[in-house]
Amino acid sequence: MSTPPKPDLKDIRRLLTAAFSGTALEWYDYFLYGTAAALVFNKLFFPELDPTVGTLASFVTFAVGFVARPIGAAVFGHIGDRYGRKVSLIITVVMMGATTGCIGLLPTYDTIGLWAPALLSLLRFLQGISVGGEWSGAMLLTLEHTPKEKHGSYSSVPQLGSPVGTLLSSGAFAIVGMLPDDAFYSWGWRLPFLVAFPLLGFALYLRMHIEESPVFRAMLEDAERNGPKPAPLVEAFRRTWGRMIVGVGAAFLGVGGFFLMSTFIISYGTDELGIDKQTMLNATVIGSVVEIVVLVLAGRLADRIGAWRVCALGAAVTMVAAFPAFWLVDTKETGLVHLGVSLGIGALSIPYAPIGAVVSGMFPEEFRYSAVAMSYNLAGVLSGFVPLMATSLTSAADGASWGAALLLIAIAACTVAGSFGAGTILRRRGAALSSPAQNAEVPA
């Protein structure tokens, strides 16, 4: 990634605030849906099904959003590479906030029958499309404004939106969860979704007042002189399909592992172990606080030893921590449950911190948005089925957690392999860009 001109510190702070607020809204909306899928939707939108089957059906609608993410990556990647990172990010944040707020207005199965889960799935699909362009745009806008030697720590700032979004969503559900069950299931669960409307207004205001990426401005000048480049996504697949596969592996743990240790763990704890839902929600809140600390530290470490090395290290730590994390939750002791969830989330947060610097650095500027968005969101497609897979594994094991722990280890192993692959690509790309033949194409 080329080094941008040195921006004013005030501009950097404004940019980071806008990137963080948008991703926080994105993950608030997404984790809110995941929590509701574990606690509410199976009862209100699939009441005619067996409880376990209803939970599986609820997680299927959760996965629908991830299936939609590559579509969003293609659409907003094209917009971001052709019309600007800022334009794309304004559209995604409006789309995300509006669809989430509308979920809070949906009638349930008892009111409109099968239309209820159908409309829920549609809104979830629209959520997925908007998320398909959000993360990559926020990450690129951040890294294309800031010095390369600080990309490890700066790339962790948009990632802070994940735990903050989780804190807000889990905290919101923890508050409404204190309502009597009748009130909670009739109207209380809707309140956290409706909060998305005012949050959208705040995030949109910040997005409207940021500067376009200097990298994109240079691309516009080049297009005016030499004409537009070929379709960005087509070029990304044609020239760098191998790097995109590596990016999928490197990003897998940060997304899929987190949904295993948040969305799935809530369902597992309440349905299989009989733990009070408030205890499980509190566990994810505590885990999110741990994640904030880990993200900051891991981002700084990435500046010192390299982003891809931190990703590989964090994935290896997760493999070691997987079984202990689930064993602690299996005790059903409140303090140990909190510790187990925090251990799992803390470990997988290490590779999540600098993943933006790893994936972004592998691709040329002219189709970077499309390539990064597609890589990250293909990992998201796989991640969307992780709660469903984990639920199926524990059900097949008569409620035992060893299947879910093995799944976490497998996901972490993919990220170890992807991180080492990314390290090789980044070294080759750095050597190519520093050589006299700077325009030489690095093999896929």
Side-chain angles (χ1 to χ4, degrees):
M1 185 177 296
S2 59
T3 302
K6 198 168 185 178
D8 182 82
L9 184 59
K10 184 178 179 181
D11 291 336
I12 290 181
R13 287 174 178 167
R14 184 187 300 115
L15 168 74
L16 293 177
T17 302
F20 162 76
S21 64
T23 53
L25 172 62
E26 169 198 348
W27 291 117
Y28 171 80
D29 296 346
Y30 236 56
F31 295 146
L32 195 65
Y33 192 101
T35 303
L39 296 177
V40 177
F41 293 154
N42 57 331
K43 297 178 176 64
L44 297 183
F45 289 84
F46 303 97
E48 300 297 315
L49 300 177
D50 172 83
T52 300
V53 177
T55 299
L56 287 171
S58 184
F59 282 147
V60 167
T61 68
F62 181 73
V64 163
F66 287 90
V67 173
R69 286 173 67 160
I71 300 174
V75 172
F76 292 111
H78 183 86
I79 293 172
D81 282 327
R82 282 290 173 85
Y83 305 103
R85 281 68 161 127
K86 180 178 175 179
V87 172
S88 181
L89 286 175
I90 289 172
I91 298 172
T92 58
V93 78
V94 170
M95 192 172 178
M96 188 68 177
T99 53
T100 301
C102 287
I103 290 175
L105 300 174
L106 276 181
T108 62
Y109 184 92
D110 288 341
T111 304
I112 59 172
L114 291 175
W115 280 105
L119 290 173
L120 180 66
S121 298
L122 174 62
L123 290 173
R124 178 61 175 173
F125 185 79
L126 295 175
Q127 265 193 340
I129 289 179
S130 62
V131 170
E134 168 63 33
W135 178 88
S136 48
M139 187 60 67
L140 291 184
L141 204 61
T142 298
L143 298 183
E144 290 177 351
H145 270 97
T146 53
K148 186 175 181 180
E149 62 271 16
K150 291 290 186 180
H151 277 182
S153 52
Y154 280 132
S155 68
S156 69
V157 174
Q159 305 300 70
L160 290 171
S162 171
V164 170
T166 305
L167 279 172
L168 291 173
S169 60
S170 296
F173 257 102
I175 292 172
V176 298
M178 292 187 289
L179 293 168
D181 281 352
D182 287 346
F184 174 76
Y185 288 111
S186 63
W187 56 267
W189 69 271
R190 299 178 182 275
L191 299 180
F193 285 93
L194 297 176
V195 169
F197 287 126
L199 291 178
L200 165 60
F202 176 69
L204 180 60
Y205 172 81
L206 292 174
R207 289 279 168 92
M208 296 290 291
H209 290 82
I210 56 176
E211 296 293 328
E212 181 55 86
S213 158
V215 171
F216 180 75
R217 291 200 299 267
M219 289 167 57
L220 277 183
E221 293 174 2
D222 180 71
E224 290 174 0
R225 290 192 303 267
N226 304 313
K229 300 285 186 182
L233 186 60
V234 174
E235 282 295 283
F237 275 110
R238 185 180 71 83
R239 292 172 50 185
T240 58
W241 61 268
R243 277 178 268 178
M244 292 171 71
I245 293 174
V246 170
V248 170
F252 192 18
L253 178 60
V255 186
F258 188 87
F259 284 119
L260 184 62
M261 292 305 304
S262 57
T263 300
F264 166 74
I265 206 73
I266 292 174
S267 174
Y268 172 72
T270 55
D271 295 343
E272 295 290 346
L273 301 180
I275 300 173
D276 179 70
K277 70 176 184 293
Q278 198 69 37
T279 299
M280 297 308 303
L281 289 171
N282 290 342
T284 61
V285 170
I286 296 170
S288 298
V289 174
V290 172
E291 184 181 7
I292 291 174
V293 176
V294 172
L295 287 175
V296 173
L297 296 177
R300 293 179 178 177
L301 181 62
D303 286 339
R304 300 182 62 182
I305 70 172
W308 74 267
R309 291 185 178 89
V310 172
C311 285
L313 174 64
V317 170
T318 303
M319 294 175 73
V320 174
F323 272 101
F326 276 96
W327 289 338
L328 288 167
V329 173
D330 286 341
T331 65
K332 305 181 188 179
E333 296 291 333
T334 300
L336 295 180
V337 169
H338 292 170
L339 179 60
V341 173
S342 296
L343 174 63
I345 291 177
L348 61 87
S349 297
I350 299 171
Y352 186 62
I355 189 60
V358 173
V359 179
S360 301
M362 292 194 294
F363 300 102
E365 296 166 355
E366 60 265 29
F367 53 78
R368 182 179 292 150
Y369 199 134
S370 295
V372 170
M374 190 58 66
S375 299
Y376 190 76
N377 287 293
L378 287 175
V381 171
L382 298 176
S383 301
F385 291 95
V386 166
L388 182 63
M389 293 170 62
T391 300
S392 299
L393 287 171
T394 53
S395 178
D398 294 326
S401 65
W402 58 265
L406 285 175
L407 179 60
L408 181 58
I409 290 172
I411 294 171
C414 291
T415 292
V416 169
S419 299
F420 276 98
T424 300
I425 292 167
L426 291 170
R427 287 193 297 271
R428 289 177 180 174
R429 180 167 163 75
L433 293 176
S434 62
S435 69
Q438 289 193 9
N439 292 326
E441 185 172 309
V442 182

